[in-house]
Amino acid sequence: MDSDISTGFTTDQSFDAFEDDGYDDLDTNSVVSVVAEEPLSYEVPYTSLSHEQLKQRFVSSVNQIQNLCGLSHEVAELLLIHNKFNIEWLGERYLDNPARTLQSIGLDLKYADYSFAPRLLPAPPNFLCAICCDDATYPVTFALPCGHRYCASCFKTYLRMRVSEGDIRLNCCLNSECRFPITDSVYKLLLSPSDYNRYRDQLIKLYVNCLPYLKWCIYPDCTYAVECKVNQADLDHIIPTVECNDGHKFCFGCSNEEHAPCICRLFAKWNKKCADDSETANWINVHTKGCPKCQATIEKNGGCNHMLCRKCGHEWCWVCSGPWSEHGTAYYNCSRYDEKSGQEARDQQAKSKASLERYLHYYNRYANHLESARLDKKLYLRTQKKMTDLQNSTSMTWIEVQYLANASDVLQHCRRTLMWTYAFAFYLERNNNTHIFENNQQDLELAVEKLSEMFERNTSELATKRLELLDMTSYVSTRRSLLLKDTQLGLLEGRWKYNLSN
Amino acid sequence: MPNPLCLNRLQQERKDWRKDHPFGFWAKPQKNPDGSLNLMKWNVGIPGKKDTKWEGAVFPVTLTFPEEYPSRPPACHFPAGFYHPNIYPSGKVCLSLVNEGESWKPAIRVKEIVLGIQELLDDPNPRSPAQEKAYHDFVRNKDLYNKKVKEQVKRYIS
């Protein structure tokens, strides 16, 4: 291992899972921490919440309002839903004017601590349900305290439909003029257990969607939510990467994949640019030239070198880009490549091409890491096989071969970071700070490629080079950490200057 | 086959309408090719309100009841191209009373629907425009709007 690599080591507070694995007597320089105990400067505080925890939070917010305003649990819940779960605002609003606040959900002041024990009743004599107008004998009917009685099945059908369509904010009595709200106990009575659970789940969904500091994990079918108190206004100098308890990393700021060290704004800009023109730009780059006079893009799909621009009428030579007037009859041979006039025209073209090439430079590297990250995923699956092989062919235990899984994780993570360093660098102005950023980027890239290479070795070699791989893994992690730390510091200091004209 | 719940209710609506309905309105279910009644689709006539520029004509509207009626509201259509800020180019009425997820309630009767539509004619809701032409005229050029409404009324005087 060369000296350059050891500069990245922090041997103090070193701690990892391998310290007590029989290698204690080895050079301490080579056993390095992978997991930092203290929060890093580029990380934001956040909590991952399970469905169960969300439910508890929801209930405790309801309790808070219930106690603060002296309401029944059901009424407090309804008010909270209706006021987008904003406890502070609702509390103030209620204490300020209880009657009007209750009115907003269709309740009279006398119902503030109303606790409803809803019951189904047999149909009274001469009852005709105004909803279904069925004059058969009714087994059961239902009415809210407002007294508008309909058959229970009409109530059920309506509620089930509202819940299945996600209309759960405020449902009320079926009478066209009555606004008496349907509370939790009524849902519970009238809906089937599975529909009722669905209703409760939708409430939790609404709860998370309404609160700006809660967000669902962006991965499909993941049920975790994350709490993170980051201001939308701070996203220019904070990149709130969070991880749910299922190990999914994403950006809390813009609900997209993890994209540190690129800030959300540039992440969006870059994605748009890539979606807009990467492929087109590639094609244009390869197949066309700009007219030396008006820069119109011209594709030569056959014929001789004598070009006539359809836009400005300029006649020029495809080979040397000089004016055609100097070429005479040399339709298929250009002997004037080095003449001055052609040189100037080519300079002009080169200029307009340069910005395109600059973009392609960054894009290709970005895309390369994207592709490598994909390949690394395959590698990860192979790793698992290698780990089993190692366990079988050597005396290593399961816990001892975990270093391969760890190395693979680090590799993937760093590739992702590298990807976004290129998108970030694309928007940076050329200056000394950018130069430093690119040095850090280069260091990380070199380290990542080295680790990737080590990973490709066969099983027996992996076993003997275990320490080397461990060292490299931690070195790569450290390099990533350094890069992110410095970028974060730069963001806070306003050190990075952007060139957004691209 | 439409569900019996929905047909029961529509039969009752029909009975109630025949017993009593607002003055100047008419409503009847369409006929199937075999001459039987199609309760799922009604033709109704809505008169312009007295003392408004809509007075004098009766406007034809079709009510199409969905299978899930009365849990879901009927779709209400004027003839396509009807000139009014809250009526889509297709003729569909945009009115919260008959919009699902807005004010629709299963207990709302046909009578209330047609009265609601009549009310909408002279009292458009500029906060939910459904067609560009009538909306722009209504907010920018009231004279032109009134003129066009009157022209339209003339076309519907029977």
Side-chain angles (χ1 to χ4, degrees):
Chain A
M1 205 154 297
D2 56 50
S3 60
D4 175 47
I5 285 177
S6 54
T7 56
F9 284 179
T10 48
T11 44
D12 50 325
Q13 335 152 353
S14 291
F15 167 80
D16 68 15
F18 306 102
E19 265 194 347
D20 56 351
D21 59 3
Y23 289 86
D24 287 353
D25 51 344
L26 282 162
D27 179 6
T28 48
N29 268 338
S30 46
V31 182
V32 178
S33 142
V34 177
V35 188
E37 296 285 308
E38 279 175 38
L40 295 160
S41 61
Y42 53 87
E43 285 177 348
V44 291
Y46 64 89
T47 324
S48 170
L49 298 165
S50 68
H51 198 76
E52 218 33 62
Q53 287 168 312
L54 287 167
K55 271 188 194 166
Q56 283 163 14
R57 290 223 176 185
F58 177 72
V59 170
S60 80
S61 330
V62 175
N63 288 339
Q64 230 176 307
I65 282 294
Q66 182 184 355
N67 297 334
L68 180 72
C69 308
L71 299 163
S72 71
H73 192 84
E74 278 185 276
V75 173
E77 180 176 285
L78 220 52
L79 273 177
L80 206 54
I81 297 167
H82 194 61
N83 288 281
K84 303 207 166 103
F85 305 92
N86 192 333
I87 300 181
E88 290 81 21
W89 192 73
L90 173 60
E92 267 177 43
R93 192 178 165 207
Y94 188 86
L95 298 177
D96 189 42
N97 193 340
R100 197 199 297 164
T101 311
L102 283 171
Q103 197 55 51
S104 72
I105 55 164
L107 279 178
D108 216 69
L109 202 49
K110 68 177 174 195
Y111 288 112
D113 56 355
Y114 138 94
S115 200
F116 192 32
R119 278 189 310 144
L120 301 174
L121 285 180
N126 299 326
F127 173 79
L128 180 72
C129 170
I131 305 296
C132 61
C133 303
D134 195 349
D135 49 11
T137 44
Y138 296 90
V140 274
T141 66
F142 179 76
L144 290 164
C146 56
H148 300 111
R149 187 162 293 278
Y150 302 103
C151 53
S153 70
C154 283
F155 254 109
K156 286 181 184 170
T157 312
Y158 180 66
L159 273 194
R160 193 172 53 229
M161 201 201 75
R162 297 287 286 182
V163 169
S164 73
E165 273 159 28
D167 286 318
I168 51 161
R169 272 169 207 268
L170 193 58
N171 286 319
C172 45
C173 171
L174 305 191
N175 180 283
S176 51
E177 255 127 61
C178 180
R179 290 184 59 236
F180 202 94
I182 291 173
T183 50
D184 187 62
S185 56
V186 179
Y187 282 106
K188 198 166 193 171
L189 175 77
L190 294 177
L191 293 173
S192 68
S194 71
D195 282 340
Y196 177 71
N197 284 338
R198 193 162 162 194
Y199 164 70
R200 296 305 304 180
D201 285 351
Q202 282 180 353
L203 276 185
I204 300 297
K205 211 174 188 177
L206 194 65
Y207 174 69
V208 172
N209 291 343
C210 281
L211 293 173
Y213 54 84
L214 286 180
K215 269 184 190 158
W216 291 108
C217 169
I218 62 163
Y219 282 74
D221 297 329
C222 180
T223 54
Y224 283 100
V226 171
E227 178 183 41
C228 176
K229 293 193 170 146
V230 62
N231 271 329
Q232 209 64 25
D234 292 335
L235 290 180
D236 266 0
H237 53 263
I238 292 175
I239 306 151
T241 304
V242 298
E243 182 176 350
C244 82
N245 267 353
D246 220 0
H248 303 132
K249 292 190 179 75
F250 63 98
C251 170
F252 191 87
C254 60
S255 281
N256 278 302
E257 57 180 296
E258 176 188 12
H259 57 69
C262 191
I263 58 175
C264 295
R265 192 156 56 94
L266 296 182
F267 167 82
K269 206 170 154 69
W270 172 262
N271 271 347
K272 189 166 180 295
K273 187 172 180 67
C274 292
D276 282 353
D277 46 30
S278 68
E279 283 312 297
T280 323
N282 260 325
W283 189 89
I284 290 174
N285 200 21
V286 173
H287 295 278
T288 71
K289 283 186 181 178
C291 164
K293 265 249 165 78
C294 71
Q295 311 306 325
T297 306
I298 292 171
E299 178 198 4
K300 179 168 150 47
N301 56 6
C304 65
N305 293 329
H306 180 191
M307 308 304 292
L308 171 64
C309 175
R310 292 287 284 273
K311 198 170 157 203
C312 69
H314 180 62
E315 294 176 61
W316 52 288
C317 167
W318 180 260
V319 179
C320 71
S321 298
W324 187 255
S325 54
E326 293 165 10
H327 283 69
T329 53
Y331 285 101
Y332 289 93
N333 287 305
C334 177
S335 52
R336 305 183 59 84
Y337 197 79
D338 296 321
E339 297 284 326
K340 192 168 170 280
S341 52
Q343 191 72 48
E344 279 166 6
R346 285 198 299 276
D347 281 353
Q348 190 60 33
Q349 278 181 346
K351 232 181 192 172
S352 65
K353 244 183 167 180
S355 81
L356 195 58
E357 274 166 8
R358 178 165 180 276
Y359 166 66
L360 288 173
H361 166 89
Y362 288 98
Y363 179 77
N364 288 337
R365 278 151 188 83
Y366 161 88
N368 173 42
H369 284 294
L370 183 69
E371 173 64 8
S372 300
R374 199 182 61 80
L375 293 175
D376 285 345
K377 222 169 209 171
K378 276 191 183 166
L379 196 64
Y380 181 70
L381 297 175
R382 287 211 304 271
T383 310
Q384 286 177 324
K385 192 176 172 305
K386 280 187 187 174
M387 292 196 306
T388 328
D389 289 352
L390 267 184
Q391 279 180 74
N392 294 339
S393 62
T394 65
S395 57
M396 287 189 190
T397 61
W398 181 84
I399 193 83
E400 282 173 324
V401 294
Q402 289 309 304
Y403 73 96
L404 278 178
N406 182 39
S408 169
D409 281 348
V410 167
L411 195 57
Q412 284 188 61
H413 204 183
C414 289
R415 288 244 189 245
R416 179 157 290 278
T417 307
L418 274 173
M419 233 168 89
W420 293 108
T421 60
Y422 280 107
F424 188 63
F426 175 72
Y427 292 109
L428 287 179
E429 260 179 24
R430 305 298 316 167
N431 57 31
N432 275 345
N433 288 328
T434 303
H435 193 67
I436 293 169
F437 178 81
E438 286 182 339
N439 279 346
N440 279 330
Q441 178 189 41
Q442 207 184 352
D443 286 347
L444 176 59
E445 189 158 46
L446 280 173
V448 160
E449 296 303 348
K450 254 184 202 164
L451 180 62
S452 184
E453 192 193 310
M454 291 168 94
F455 222 83
E456 294 284 336
R457 293 174 191 165
N458 60 39
T459 317
S460 57
E461 217 179 326
L462 274 175
T464 51
K465 297 285 177 68
R466 178 170 169 279
L467 265 180
E468 201 183 316
L469 198 84
L470 266 174
D471 283 350
M472 202 59 205
T473 308
S474 59
Y475 174 62
V476 166
S477 282
T478 317
R479 287 255 55 112
R480 175 175 178 274
S481 230
L482 283 175
L483 184 138
L484 291 179
K485 246 187 234 169
D486 186 62
T487 316
Q488 180 58 51
L489 199 63
L491 287 172
L492 288 169
E493 289 169 350
R495 197 200 303 154
W496 312 118
K497 297 280 172 270
Y498 305 122
N499 177 3
L500 300 178
S501 58
N502 292 304
Chain B
M1 187 61 206
N3 78 57
L5 193 93
C6 158
L7 283 182
N8 261 331
R9 164 73 182 264
L10 285 167
Q11 261 151 13
Q12 189 65 35
E13 288 278 355
R14 172 100 183 109
K15 264 190 240 162
D16 290 352
W17 181 272
R18 293 178 76 154
K19 224 186 283 167
D20 170 47
H21 62 257
F23 178 75
F25 288 75
W26 54 266
K28 49 189 167 210
Q30 289 183 0
K31 285 219 170 90
N32 288 321
D34 64 1
S36 61
L37 285 183
N38 177 7
L39 277 169
M40 305 302 282
K41 240 180 166 173
W42 291 30
N43 291 332
V44 304
I46 297 179
K49 237 180 167 179
K50 217 170 162 266
D51 301 325
T52 70
K53 51 187 168 295
W54 298 83
E55 184 180 0
V58 178
F59 304 97
V61 173
T62 329
L63 308 184
T64 311
F65 296 92
E67 285 263 326
E68 299 85 351
Y69 177 80
S71 281
R72 282 181 209 275
C76 314
H77 283 89
F78 278 88
F82 195 85
Y83 184 80
H84 187 281
N86 304 116
I87 291 167
Y88 290 100
S90 67
K92 190 173 195 295
V93 177
C94 172
L95 174 65
S96 73
L97 185 73
V98 287
N99 279 359
E100 205 178 331
E102 286 188 68
S103 310
W104 173 254
K105 296 274 205 77
I108 292 174
R109 320 287 303 192
V110 169
K111 188 170 107 179
E112 290 164 81
I113 296 173
V114 294
L115 284 172
I117 295 175
Q118 185 196 40
E119 193 69 36
L120 180 73
L121 284 177
D122 197 50
D123 189 16
N125 175 6
R127 273 167 310 157
S128 77
Q131 61 166 274
E132 207 182 334
K133 235 171 69 193
Y135 170 70
H136 278 156
D137 295 346
F138 181 74
V139 293
R140 289 184 196 156
N141 191 345
K142 275 277 159 58
D143 289 340
L144 181 65
Y145 176 76
N146 290 338
K147 200 180 130 216
K148 285 195 175 167
V149 167
K150 276 181 195 146
E151 280 169 18
Q152 179 166 261
V153 167
K154 259 184 219 156
R155 263 179 281 137
Y156 284 100
I157 292 175
S158 41

